[in-house]
Amino acid sequence: MAESPSSAVREARRTLGNRLREMRKGAGFTTARAFAARAGWSESKASRMENGVTSPSREDLRQYAELCGAPDTYADLVAALHNIDELYVEWWRVEGRGLEPVQRARVPLYQRTRRFRVYEPSVIPGLVQTPDYARVIMSRIIAFSGIPDDTEKAVEARIHRQRVLYDASRRFALLVEEAALRARFGDASIMAAQLGHLLKAASLPQVSFGIIPMSADRVMWPVEGFWIFDDRQVLIELVTAEVTVKQPSEIAFYTRTFAELAAMACYGPQARALIADAISALG
């Protein structure tokens, strides 16, 4: 597994590695070299796993459990590995069957979340996308990634997820850079409809919609798009992978980042004026 930019992944690997080291020592293998020789590995392989540099495979974990005389620990070790795998998921691993399964997989997370905080620097957030706007983006992702074309099903799944937006018991803080209003996905009519829809969604009482103007005196730089779901987890979409953050200290850091960005944004009439300007610029 490639090294993740998230310290949560590194910390989780180190925690699992420490557990493997303790098991190995408890079984009488005083050095990684001694254990590696018994397992038929190189010493460097065992050291990398125990130091959290790389993640073990399930077969590696089976050997630790069996050679350390603790076969009943195997299930727990695999569960720990599964949690690490969830933290950093490369897109090729989840998009191989198309985009529709990815869209539907998020439904349970959306349904149990009461407070959404969303920051997008360059696109309109999925919660407030029109079908045509979403279709343009998804068709481009499919073409670029060379994955099965399930555009229509993926768009349908994304629009289905938007139902939570109309639940007045939830709260949505949506934040974009002004550039997201200007970046064209589709022709002028698609963009005009999208921006018009944005005006309607922003008027919902449960929605706070902020725009960081290009003229803002910045105290926080633009960062990668991220979504905070309650105070339980953060999703960050990178070019090659999706990172899931569940470590409280990292969630707190993203919460602070969101607050800094939100403080620079304009809302209400000023935000609507920026959207109207973007519509006018379409010609």
Side-chain angles (χ1 to χ4, degrees), residues 1-57:
M1 178 170 152
E3 181 159 345
S4 164
S6 168
S7 63
V9 177
R10 295 192 294 271
E11 183 61 31
R13 284 205 198 117
R14 283 194 291 266
T15 298
L16 178 57
N18 287 338
R19 184 173 180 183
L20 297 177
R21 183 183 298 109
E22 291 170 0
M23 288 175 58
R24 184 251 299 165
K25 290 182 176 180
F29 296 100
T30 56
T31 65
R33 176 181 296 179
F35 183 84
R38 180 67 179 277
W41 302 338
S42 66
E43 179 183 358
S44 62
K45 174 178 176 176
S47 294
R48 287 196 302 271
M49 289 189 291
E50 291 186 7
N51 289 307
V53 177
T54 59
S55 290
S57 68

Side-chain angles (χ1 to χ4, degrees), residues 79-195:
L81 178 63
H82 179 70
N83 288 337
I84 295 172
D85 289 343
E86 282 188 330
L87 292 175
Y88 185 87
V89 181
E90 293 162 306
W91 289 122
W92 67 266
R93 293 171 57 188
V94 295
E95 292 181 347
R97 294 183 293 117
L99 293 182
E100 189 263 350
V102 180
Q103 298 297 309
R104 295 204 181 278
R106 295 270 182 85
V107 170
L109 175 60
Y110 279 47
Q111 289 178 336
R112 64 176 177 262
T113 299
R114 313 310 299 176
R115 184 185 182 192
F116 294 75
R117 280 166 288 182
V118 179
Y119 168 75
E120 290 289 0
S122 56
V123 297
I124 304 301
L127 277 170
V128 288
Q129 289 179 2
T130 63
D132 286 339
Y133 182 92
R135 185 174 293 109
V136 172
I137 291 178
M138 290 184 176
S139 62
R140 180 58 186 143
I141 292 171
I142 287 168
F144 183 80
S145 302
I147 58 179
D149 188 352
D150 62 347
T151 303
E152 293 308 316
K153 289 183 177 179
V155 170
E156 179 184 348
R158 172 161 291 185
I159 300 306
H160 175 77
R161 288 192 330 200
Q162 293 178 356
R163 293 182 181 181
V164 296
L165 189 70
Y166 301 94
D167 181 348
S169 69
R170 304 176 196 264
R171 292 294 176 265
F172 303 85
L174 309 180
L175 187 62
V176 300
E177 301 282 345
E178 185 180 353
L181 308 179
R182 306 280 181 165
R184 290 201 181 191
F185 291 95
D187 59 26
S189 64
I190 289 175
M191 286 302 303
Q194 173 60 74
L195 294 172

